[in-house]
Amino acid sequence: MNALAVLLLAGQASATYLYVASYSGFVSTLNLTETASGIDLDIIAQDNNCGAIPSWLTLKDDGTLICVDEGWRTWPRGTTAIYSTNDDGSLSLLSSVNDVLVGSVSTVVYGDDDSHFAIAHYAGSGISAWDIADPSVPSMIQQEIYDLEQPGADPVRQEAAHPHEVIKDPTETYILAPDLGADIVRIYSIASDATLEPVEPLEVPAGSGPRHAAFAVIDDATYLYIVNELANTILAYTVTYTESGMSFDEIYHSSIYGEDGQVPDGVTSAEILVTPDQKNVILSSRMDKSFEIPAFDGDGSVTSDTLANFAIDQSTGVPELLQTVPAGGMQPRQFSTNAEGSLVTVGLQGDGRVVVIERDVETGMLGDFVAWLDVGGEIMCVVWNEL
Ligand SMILES: *[C@@H]1O[C@H](CO)[C@@H](O)[C@H](O)[C@H]1NC(C)=O
């Protein structure tokens, strides 16, 4: 290769950024770079336009970043901020709305060209839908607030409806919202005008507290995995589509640590994710304090909660516990992988830290910590942008 070709290649060198939402009030951009000795993480940009406590981030394919603030400090309203993401890692604010129903904890984009997004409002007991065909003028097209006829099996946590996440089904015709308060997964058909029309929900056992869910598609089969925050269980279903909605057959139900797992008191499980190769389903558990690991700065040790890594049987969809590993600190509220599925970033709410764990894409096993950074504040969400 001649010198010019080398220069041209270097000019096209791709970048990997992580956007991190923290209760510090900042959305930070981390520059993730591979070095001879491992991976480096550095904060290269910070923005504070997403309300007081940014809680969730969704990156559109076109590079638009949607941020929501949970709104606890500006009750009963929160903020939504929409940014364009720049090649140098910085964010440019396109618009913000500060009278959003409180308790935004998750967003999902949908519709042609992802022209819309939905929000799950945990504290606000509802969902909303927004038109962002022009991201500089977002407009709410729908808001639903739910009442419970009576409290659930856990009267403290299930005193009201608490949608905790919004996800799209693999056919992109439905949106699902696990409702921690109502012990159902709300299901909406996406109408031609992009409004969300409720269809028959999925009921889970009383007291489960469904928080997050993830789909796997393996050959012609579709599976749904749910992590239940209150019961600290994982539920798995085969999914079939009917004339009027979706139907579910339970194929697995165990503790978050598998069949024989003993869950300590005070644990609240949080995130669940299916790896890009559909081979593993990984969930996180908060406050089990199961591990004592060497401190990342080399001084003493730190206590760590758990990631539980299940292998998905490729012919039945049934998960089987493969390993439990330290999450890298306390309260792994959310985690995500790169597109290849070879690196897992964990946002540690309790420790204000982001860690990167390597994943062997052949075996599906989670391995060592390959990077860490104290970002500050309670880390709520980390998303990847691989340019
Ligand atoms: C990211 O880090 C790499 C390696 O240190 C550096 O070359 C690059 O300029 C950084 N990017 C930004 C936008 O700071």
Side-chain angles (χ1 to χ4, degrees):
M1 200 184 295
N2 65 32
L4 181 61
V6 171
L7 276 176
L8 284 172
L9 270 180
Q12 294 168 351
S14 56
T16 300
Y17 298 133
L18 304 175
Y19 305 114
V20 181
S22 164
Y23 271 4
S24 66
F26 286 101
V27 178
S28 303
T29 306
L30 312 189
N31 185 13
L32 183 151
T33 52
E34 303 211 15
T35 67
S37 55
I39 288 179
D40 272 353
L41 290 178
D42 296 294
I43 298 178
I44 54 167
Q46 287 194 307
D47 173 278
N48 65 355
N49 286 295
C50 185
I53 49 171
S55 60
W56 195 259
L57 299 165
T58 296
L59 181 67
K60 285 178 54 168
D61 290 344
D62 69 2
T64 307
L65 184 68
I66 300 167
C67 177
V68 289
D69 143 64
E70 200 166 349
W72 294 109
R73 304 219 183 109
T74 47
W75 188 279
R77 294 284 145 192
T79 296
T80 290
I82 303 180
Y83 305 94
S84 59
T85 56
N86 303 319
D87 286 348
D88 66 359
S90 62
L91 304 177
S92 297
L93 186 68
L94 296 173
S95 59
S96 67
V97 178
N98 60 17
D99 62 349
V100 178
L101 177 65
V102 73
S104 299
V105 284
S106 164
T107 51
V108 66
V109 291
Y110 67 93
D112 292 339
D113 298 325
D114 293 335
S115 56
H116 290 75
F117 76 100
I119 307 177
H121 302 272
Y122 175 87
S125 302
I127 57 119
S128 61
W130 298 74
D131 182 340
I132 48 162
D134 179 350
S136 59
V137 274
S139 73
M140 191 173 77
I141 60 166
Q142 185 179 8
Q143 178 172 288
E144 309 290 342
I145 296 177
Y146 300 107
D147 286 326
L148 292 187
E149 279 168 24
Q150 58 194 49
D154 180 336
V156 175
R157 296 292 309 279
Q158 298 185 311
E159 88 297 358
H162 289 304
H164 212 310
E165 189 183 37
V166 274
I167 62 168
K168 247 180 324 199
D169 82 306
T171 68
E172 308 202 343
T173 49
Y174 294 95
I175 284 178
L176 282 72
D179 187 327
L180 185 146
D183 280 330
I184 57 174
V185 178
R186 298 179 188 277
I187 304 176
Y188 308 89
S189 153
I190 301 170
S192 55
D193 65 357
T195 55
L196 304 177
E197 292 178 352
V199 298
E200 182 73 19
L202 165 62
E203 286 184 27
V204 298
S208 293
R211 177 185 171 102
H212 279 197
F215 284 96
V217 177
I218 303 171
D219 301 324
D220 293 332
T222 302
Y223 305 102
L224 179 69
Y225 304 89
I226 300 173
V227 67
N228 294 306
E229 172 175 337
L230 302 182
N232 291 300
T233 52
I234 175 174
L235 274 167
Y237 301 87
T238 53
V239 179
T240 48
Y241 291 90
T242 65
E243 300 258 298
S244 56
M246 303 174 77
S247 100
F248 302 89
D249 287 306
E250 186 182 309
I251 54 172
Y252 186 75
H253 190 187
S254 79
S255 92
I256 49 172
Y257 314 122
E259 302 283 359
D260 305 317
Q262 296 297 320
V263 182
D265 284 346
V267 169
T268 54
S269 43
E271 185 60 289
I272 192 163
L273 168 154
V274 168
T275 53
D277 54 19
Q278 317 289 289
K279 286 185 178 158
N280 296 89
V281 57
I282 307 171
L283 58 79
S284 67
S285 143
R286 293 178 296 185
M287 300 305 286
D288 65 23
K289 306 177 187 166
S290 291
F291 298 90
E292 200 65 24
I293 57 175
F296 291 92
D297 64 8
D299 192 12
S301 66
V302 293
T303 305
S304 175
D305 287 333
T306 300
L307 297 186
N309 183 12
F310 293 75
I312 298 174
D313 184 302
Q314 296 293 292
S315 55
T316 63
V318 172
E320 186 185 357
L321 185 72
L322 195 58
Q323 61 178 162
T324 56
V325 299
M330 296 305 298
Q331 297 190 44
R333 182 180 173 105
Q334 183 268 0
F335 56 93
S336 51
T337 75
N338 60 348
E340 191 189 5
S342 57
L343 296 171
V344 179
T345 46
V346 187
L348 294 150
Q349 184 175 2
D351 287 337
R353 185 182 307 125
V354 172
V355 300
V356 185
I357 300 173
E358 65 187 357
R359 174 176 176 269
D360 183 325
V361 292
E362 297 301 321
T363 64
M365 298 289 279
L366 297 172
D368 290 336
F369 299 106
V370 289
W372 66 280
L373 187 68
D374 286 330
V375 176
E378 298 174 46
I379 307 299
M380 305 299 281
C381 186
V382 183
V383 299
W384 289 75
N385 189 9
E386 297 171 80
L387 296 171

